[in-house]
Amino acid sequence: MEIGNLIRMANRIGQFFEAMPDQQEALEGVANHIHKFWEPRMRNELLGFLEQSPDGDAGEERLHPLVLEAVTKNRQRLTPLARVA
């Protein structure tokens, strides 16, 4: 999947959770949503992008600050487990 599409999808999640009055709850909500509903390839691509661009800037697209913080703080949890054959 193209990184611009993933950023737009992630930003919609961030926009939804930014309305929460509790910042920690909002961060947890973003991380939980991505963990539960994004397939491993999508999470790997987003995490790989953040390794290359830690500020979340992809040129035309930029990660919502809430998403950037949530993914950065929860990197280990969001990293898919390797499948054992």
Side-chain angles (χ1 to χ4, degrees):
M1 184 170 248
E2 197 265 321
I3 193 62
N5 288 335
L6 289 177
I7 290 173
R8 285 187 291 278
M9 289 170 55
N11 285 348
R12 282 188 220 115
I13 297 165
Q15 290 165 351
F16 175 82
F17 284 103
E18 79 179 339
M20 298 183 100
D22 183 337
Q23 176 79 4
Q24 286 305 101
E25 190 177 357
L27 290 168
E28 186 64 24
V30 170
N32 275 339
H33 184 91
I34 291 173
H35 184 256
K36 287 180 180 179
F37 299 109
W38 281 32
E39 68 174 35
R41 290 179 295 176
M42 294 166 68
R43 288 186 276 141
N44 275 332
E45 192 161 336
L46 182 62
L47 293 168
F49 163 70
L50 286 175
E51 284 180 17
Q52 301 284 330
S53 303
D55 62 354
D57 190 353
E60 292 182 24
E61 302 290 338
R62 183 180 194 91
L63 272 178
H64 188 289
L66 184 66
V67 175
L68 181 59
E69 185 176 352
V71 172
T72 302
K73 286 184 174 181
N74 293 281
R75 178 176 203 82
Q76 184 174 359
R77 179 171 63 147
L78 296 174
T79 300
L81 299 175
R83 287 193 163 179
V84 178

